Amino acid sequence: MTTPRDGETIRFLHSADWQLGMTRRFLGDESQAVYTADRLAAVEALGTLAADHGARFIVVAGDAFEDNAVPRSVVLRAVEALAAFPVPVLVLPGNHDPLDVSSVFRCRDFAPAVEGGGVVVLDGTGPVEVVPGVEVVGVPWTSKRPDPSRLPALLDSLEPTDGLRVLVAHGGTDEIYGGHSPSVEAIAVASLEEAIGSGRLDYVALGDRHSVTRVGSGERIWFSGSPETTDFDDVETDSGHALLVELSRAASSSQRGACTVTPLRTGRWSFHAVDSRIDTDADLDALAERIEAMDDKPRTVLKLGLTGTVGVALRARIDDLLETWDALFAAAYLRQSRTHLVVRAEDTDFTDLVDGYAGRAVADLVAMAGTGGAEAEDAGHALSLLYRLVDGETR
């Protein structure tokens, strides 16, 4: 392998978890269509970033596709996007799109990406010298079941290099998951750091975790996160990025060249988990002000956890706002596991609004709502709906 000149800096982009073809159950048809288009746009942005920052190549650390059975349109559009990239792209099969007999990377529609030479699938057959003096090695998934022996075997086979070597792998690390993860291979961080310290690796590009995350004690092991947001901010933080990696070789073999990692923004979506206690109109005013200040509402999803004790009129106002937010944002809904609104119903809430049989029904609901039992919340919902309907007719 050709050795990079002393002090020469090599730049490349580290990405992962594109999961093209992903759907979100809480999005309606219109918002899902925008989300699908934006996920592809975030991938396309990598080509522009590579050109703007002088990156020589791009590595994708697993899960480029949501699964191996994504619609044909997803594959064709991905190939079209890849064909426009100005630099080579090295793609690792992950646990979502493993390199098995049904692999999307082996299908007829993906073949033009590989045959054109712009895309290399890291199939584990050996190192790839992507540019002179820089080789990439990968540990692909060959089924949805992890094989914990493959990465240690690869690390043991590597010798120190005079060039630069990048490892691309997919899975959770023991540092993050504590060594216990049912769906992904737990990667031992200590073994990666030892390979780096012994000169066998210069950088480790990881995929699986959708948030930008530095791993270990140094600056050479990273999860890039997903290029577009996939989950709420109580689970996923700092997603919607790619990483610009800059590696250089030192003048002396006894020294270590520099490694600099810079997150670059690629995504547009935000998924917010918002918890709030509502007991008064002022509490709801504060929540509404916070939510209405959010930017790019058509690309923002709200998951609300509301607790408190409210009157019927206040509960009706909450429901009105929820309907408005659901129409204004990509989606907005109550998180049932974190929502408990007790309706404090009083007969005076319906004074001059209903009488006769309806009035007697209201009295029964008021009594039920005040019990605090299993049916109390349903009764509160019913009172809120009745209040909104009757109050709307009397205006």
Side-chain angles (χ1 to χ4, degrees), residues 103-184:
S103 172
V104 66
F105 300 113
R106 289 173 167 158
C107 76
R108 180 184 62 187
D109 290 324
F110 192 78
V114 177
E115 293 167 355
V119 175
V120 176
V121 177
L122 296 171
D123 58 9
T125 57
V128 177
E129 188 174 26
V130 59
V131 296
V134 181
E135 70 176 24
V136 177
V137 294
V139 188
W141 285 58
T142 56
S143 75
K144 286 187 173 291
R145 296 179 62 85
D147 182 353
S149 67
R150 300 196 69 195
L151 179 55
L154 173 64
L155 294 178
D156 288 343
S157 72
L158 298 176
E159 297 291 338
T161 176
D162 291 329
L164 294 170
R165 183 182 288 139
V166 176
L167 169 67
V168 185
H170 187 86
T173 64
D174 54 1
E175 182 181 278
I176 293 173
Y177 293 111
H180 303 287
S181 178
S183 62
V184 295

Side-chain angles (χ1 to χ4, degrees), residues 223-242:
F223 287 96
S224 67
S226 173
E228 185 55 89
T229 304
T230 65
D231 209 340
F232 289 90
D233 54 11
D234 58 342
V235 173
E236 180 177 309
T237 58
D238 210 19
S239 54
H241 292 83

Side-chain angles (χ1 to χ4, degrees), residues 3-204:
T3 303
R5 295 188 303 274
D6 293 339
E8 179 184 3
T9 297
I10 300 294
R11 297 180 180 87
F12 66 94
L13 293 182
H14 167 197
S15 184
D17 300 288
W18 296 356
Q19 291 185 226
L20 297 174
M22 171 184 280
T23 59
R24 302 283 75 178
R25 58 177 175 75
F26 41 75
L27 294 178
D29 291 344
E30 180 181 349
S31 292
Q32 179 62 56
V34 176
Y35 184 63
T36 297
D38 284 344
R39 292 195 68 77
L40 184 60
V43 169
E44 292 170 338
L46 298 175
T48 302
L49 291 175
D52 290 347
H53 293 275
R56 303 287 298 278
F57 60 95
I58 299 169
V59 297
V60 184
D63 291 355
F65 294 94
E66 177 70 353
D67 54 55
N68 280 333
V70 291
R72 186 184 185 203
S73 60
V74 173
V75 180
L76 292 173
R77 289 168 186 168
V79 169
E80 185 83 3
L82 289 166
F85 279 26
V87 296
V89 183
L90 295 90
V91 183
L92 182 80
N95 62 301
H96 275 258
D97 50 12
L99 198 63
D100 57 19
V101 293
S102 64
S103 172
V104 66
F105 300 113
R106 289 173 167 158
C107 76
R108 180 184 62 187
D109 290 324
F110 192 78
V114 177
E115 293 167 355
V119 175
V120 176
V121 177
L122 296 171
D123 58 9
T125 57
V128 177
E129 188 174 26
V130 59
V131 296
V134 181
E135 70 176 24
V136 177
V137 294
V139 188
W141 285 58
T142 56
S143 75
K144 286 187 173 291
R145 296 179 62 85
D147 182 353
S149 67
R150 300 196 69 195
L151 179 55
L154 173 64
L155 294 178
D156 288 343
S157 72
L158 298 176
E159 297 291 338
T161 176
D162 291 329
L164 294 170
R165 183 182 288 139
V166 176
L167 169 67
V168 185
H170 187 86
T173 64
D174 54 1
E175 182 181 278
I176 293 173
Y177 293 111
H180 303 287
S181 178
S183 62
V184 295
E185 177 183 354
I187 298 170
V189 174
S191 66
L192 300 177
E193 294 195 309
E194 194 280 327
I196 291 170
S198 62
R200 291 177 288 149
L201 294 175
D202 293 277
Y203 182 81
V204 179

